[in-house]
Amino acid sequence: MSFLHLSCANVPLEYPAGKVVCIGRNYAAHAQELGNEVPSQPVIFMKPATALVNWNDKVAVPINRGECHHELELAILVGETLRKSTPEQSASAIAGVTLALDLTLRDVQSQLKHKSHPWEMAKAFDGACPVANWHNLPSVDWLQQASLELKVNGEVRQRGNSELMLWPPLELLSYVSQYFTLQPGDIVLTGTPAGVNQLVPGDRIEASLDSWLRLESEVIAGD
């Protein structure tokens, strides 16, 4: 089934499924937990539209490809074309915010990094980006203090706040647009807090974005 951007009322939005621009190591603690240097500028990679799936009551993870880790992220939906934009221009182009998972084949990624190869095989596979339904941006100020949390089987795994990001969301949108034109339907993932770990079939996921977005899902075996 093709991916559709859905509103909080579960109504399809009139945006195409675009590219997903991801920001790596935007929380210092996450960079450190993986033994990576804290970057001096944003680390950018992409997932194709074929990685997108709607995040609902089931989250499928690949099996027989090593460990698959959860990376919870604040996601931003682009509603207007952004090219070499300022942070202020970027704010007016936000069509929605929500939570997404940057599913990562960690063993595959480690092997690729060891060989100095790109990460796509670990990050861009089909289904690698479950995205929840979109909500209107509460306010521009909210972006500076958004809280997100992920529990697995009742245990808090990840907890973060956008005020802890090395590069805040509006700066990220502006930065990305200096290199890649962002088009309506594109998604920007803003980085994951510390606490990433393996998901296995049978796990129960609970995720929240402040007090107004809550998700509960079961992990199942994917392809």
Side-chain angles (χ1 to χ4, degrees):
M1 182 176 179
S2 299
F3 173 83
L4 293 174
H5 293 288
L6 298 174
S7 73
C8 57
N10 215 39
V11 175
L13 300 175
E14 294 183 358
Y15 294 108
K19 61 183 176 290
V20 184
V21 182
C22 307
I23 310 300
R25 307 174 191 174
N26 199 26
Y27 288 82
H30 171 58
Q32 292 164 352
E33 74 177 342
L34 295 183
N36 297 318
E37 292 183 3
V38 176
S40 59
Q41 60 186 28
V43 175
I44 298 176
F45 62 95
M46 293 195 200
K47 296 174 185 272
T50 49
L52 291 167
V53 291
N54 294 109
W55 185 349
N56 47 41
D57 59 350
K58 306 289 184 184
V59 172
V61 299
I63 56 175
N64 301 324
R65 284 193 259 174
E67 292 188 4
C68 183
H69 284 203
H70 57 76
E71 297 193 8
L72 182 69
E73 312 216 6
L74 170 66
I76 296 174
L77 176 62
V78 177
E80 300 175 9
T81 299
L82 290 174
R83 183 176 183 274
K84 299 188 183 301
S85 69
T86 65
E88 293 74 22
Q89 291 167 336
S90 298
S92 66
I94 295 175
V97 292
T98 194
L99 291 173
L101 288 173
D102 169 17
L103 295 179
T104 303
L105 298 173
R106 191 68 70 200
D107 295 333
V108 174
Q109 185 189 35
S110 296
Q111 294 166 8
L112 293 169
K113 288 167 64 176
H114 180 71
K115 297 176 181 178
S116 298
H117 289 177
W119 298 350
E120 277 79 3
M121 296 296 289
K123 291 276 195 178
F125 55 89
D126 290 354
C129 192
V131 178
N133 290 17
W134 296 102
H135 292 249
N136 291 331
L137 177 67
S139 70
V140 173
D141 289 341
W142 174 86
L143 278 175
Q144 313 306 316
Q145 52 189 5
S147 296
L148 55 161
E149 182 181 86
L150 181 76
K151 294 181 180 179
V152 178
N153 301 324
E155 175 187 355
V156 175
R157 290 268 187 93
Q158 293 187 271
R159 180 180 286 154
N161 189 292
S162 57
E163 67 181 0
L164 300 176
M165 292 179 179
L166 298 175
W167 294 277
L170 294 184
E171 289 185 22
L172 287 176
L173 289 174
S174 175
Y175 181 87
V176 170
S177 76
Q178 309 306 310
Y179 298 90
F180 310 107
T181 297
L182 292 171
Q183 299 174 311
D186 287 348
I187 296 172
V188 175
L189 301 190
T190 58
T192 194
V196 301
N197 211 325
Q198 183 179 15
L199 290 174
V200 297
D203 282 344
R204 297 293 306 180
I205 298 175
E206 300 170 64
S208 63
L209 180 59
D210 283 333
S211 61
W212 47 268
L213 174 57
R214 297 188 179 277
L215 300 160
E216 294 187 11
S217 306
E218 178 188 2
V219 178
I220 61 173
D223 295 334

